[in-house]
Amino acid sequence: LPSSYLRHGQLSTTLLGSFVCGLALTNQHTILILVFTSVLFVFHKDRSALLRPKRMMVLFVLFAMGMTPYCYLLLAGSEPPMGSWGMFQDVRGVVRHLLREEYGTFQLYTSGRAETPHNTTTFEMLEKRWKRNFSDFWNTLMHETEGTGAVLFVLGLIFLMRERDQNKFARGMYLIVYLGLYMLLFSSLANLPDSNFYDDILRRFWIQPKQVVFIVIAHAISTSVQRTTSSHICRVFRPIICGVIVVVQLMKNFPRRNMYNNWVV
């Protein structure tokens, strides 16, 4: 939606986007980073048209409507089923759930084994988190792309930075800023202890930044094919390359990610 607005600038896109942002926030706290980046770029493009009291009110109402799934918790909380998470008999229970207080607001871990020694400074703690999380993300990316991900990602960044079309350039910057903010903020807040179990939990949160990385990689492949072949050959080879990449990914990652027979999950 932000990409569509950056391209066309239609008001209907901002209205739908405002609702979707609210709806997305009912699923995952990390969506806040995407929402912030989207709002930043949309208002930068057309702040004069959007910063009007009536329009701002409409956007806020649509955003609030997107978060209405939380209202269901009050209804369901009157007779909570066994094993349900949280107590929703009152508004305080909904707020506790909204802020994820049981697990820690804007962090992943709240109790048990200490993440770092008690005499560790804040900077040392953040440095440790950055090194661990960036390293894990990088190693996972390289493993999943057979070592080609870094080269293709850098190539995609170069193509985006040299893009002459202003709309395409803005969409590229949107992806890069979002990726940078996500990695910086999430890596600062991801305070899980070191262990194989917690490493698997951590990797669940790499889905969003990986989407950006693979979009940039796809741009690198598409642009490379387009610049080195004729338009007719390009139309033939691009879907073939995409198909090969998808098949390779499935063959490599599906067997170890397949939970079909995992009755615990």
Side-chain angles (χ1 to χ4, degrees), residues 7 15 20 65 102 108 110 137 145 186 251 256 260:
R7 181 190 301 176
L15 299 178
V20 171
M65 288 176 61
E102 292 92 339
L108 298 181
T110 57
F137 179 78
T145 59
F186 179 79
M251 292 175 61
R256 65 190 182 91
Y260 178 76

Side-chain angles (χ1 to χ4, degrees), residues 137-150:
F137 179 78
W138 178 266
N139 292 335
T140 304
L141 175 65
M142 296 298 285
H143 173 75
E144 292 179 350
T145 59
E146 298 290 352
T148 63

Side-chain angles (χ1 to χ4, degrees), residues 239-257:
I240 293 176
I241 293 174
C242 290
V244 170
I245 292 174
V246 170
V247 170
V248 170
Q249 285 292 305
L250 287 174
M251 292 175 61
K252 182 176 180 61
N253 296 302
F254 182 76
R256 65 190 182 91
R257 298 294 183 185

Side-chain angles (χ1 to χ4, degrees), residues 80-97:
M82 183 177 296
S84 62
W85 172 23
M87 302 292 290
F88 305 114
Q89 283 78 6
D90 53 27
V91 176
R92 174 56 189 156
V94 176
V95 173
R96 186 184 301 111
H97 182 81

Side-chain angles (χ1 to χ4, degrees), residues 62-196:
L62 288 171
F63 178 80
M65 288 176 61
M67 299 189 72
T68 51
Y70 279 118
C71 297
Y72 170 75
L73 297 178
L74 287 171
L75 299 176
S78 59
E79 296 181 1
M82 183 177 296
S84 62
W85 172 23
M87 302 292 290
F88 305 114
Q89 283 78 6
D90 53 27
V91 176
R92 174 56 189 156
V94 176
V95 173
R96 186 184 301 111
H97 182 81
L98 175 65
L99 296 178
R100 198 174 171 271
E101 291 182 0
E102 292 92 339
Y103 287 89
T105 302
F106 300 127
Q107 58 182 342
L108 298 181
Y109 190 78
T110 57
S111 61
R113 188 166 74 254
E115 176 195 8
T116 56
H118 294 294
N119 59 348
T120 303
T121 65
T122 301
F123 179 79
E124 290 173 337
M125 178 185 65
L126 290 175
E127 184 182 21
K128 180 178 182 294
R129 291 180 186 177
W130 289 334
K131 286 181 178 179
R132 178 206 176 182
N133 295 328
F134 274 89
S135 175
D136 185 81
F137 179 78
W138 178 266
N139 292 335
T140 304
L141 175 65
M142 296 298 285
H143 173 75
E144 292 179 350
T145 59
E146 298 290 352
T148 63
V151 175
L152 292 173
F153 178 67
V154 172
L155 183 62
L157 289 180
I158 294 174
F159 285 148
L160 288 173
M161 296 295 292
R162 299 181 63 181
E163 183 61 60
R164 295 181 180 180
D165 186 305
Q166 290 300 311
N167 286 328
K168 291 182 179 179
F169 178 79
R171 297 199 297 272
M173 291 303 99
Y174 167 77
L175 292 175
I176 293 171
V177 170
Y178 167 60
L179 177 63
L181 285 176
Y182 187 99
M183 293 303 299
L184 178 63
L185 294 176
F186 179 79
S187 294
S188 300
L189 299 172
N191 60 334
L192 292 171
D194 289 326
S195 75
N196 291 333

